[in-house]
């Protein structure tokens, strides 16, 4: 087994895209539960991004200087 580190933005972006696609497919076709459960995750996720964005920019700390590699 190999462990691969992925950026959180990539993982969350993929999850959000999957929710939107599954919700759109559920709207077009009646697949049991429909689109409701998938689309119910999209709005709070987007709201959370909008609310946290100004705080994330303000709280970001500059990176310390790196030593040169010879």
């Amino acid at each position: 087994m190999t462990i691969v580190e992925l950026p959180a933005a990539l993982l969350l972006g993929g999850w959000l895209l999957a929710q939107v696609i599954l919700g759109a497919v559920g709207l077009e076709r009646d697949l049991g539960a429909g689109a409701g459960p998938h689309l119910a995750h999209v709005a709070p996720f987007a709201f959370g991004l909008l609310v946290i964005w100004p705080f994330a920019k303000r709280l970001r700390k500059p990176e310390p200087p790196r030593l040169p590699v010879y």
Side-chain angles (χ1 to χ4, degrees), residues 41-60:
H41 290 110
V42 175
F45 186 84
F47 179 75
L49 283 176
L50 289 174
V51 169
I52 197 67
W53 198 310
F55 297 106
K57 283 184 176 180
R58 187 174 58 191
L59 295 177
R60 188 173 298 153

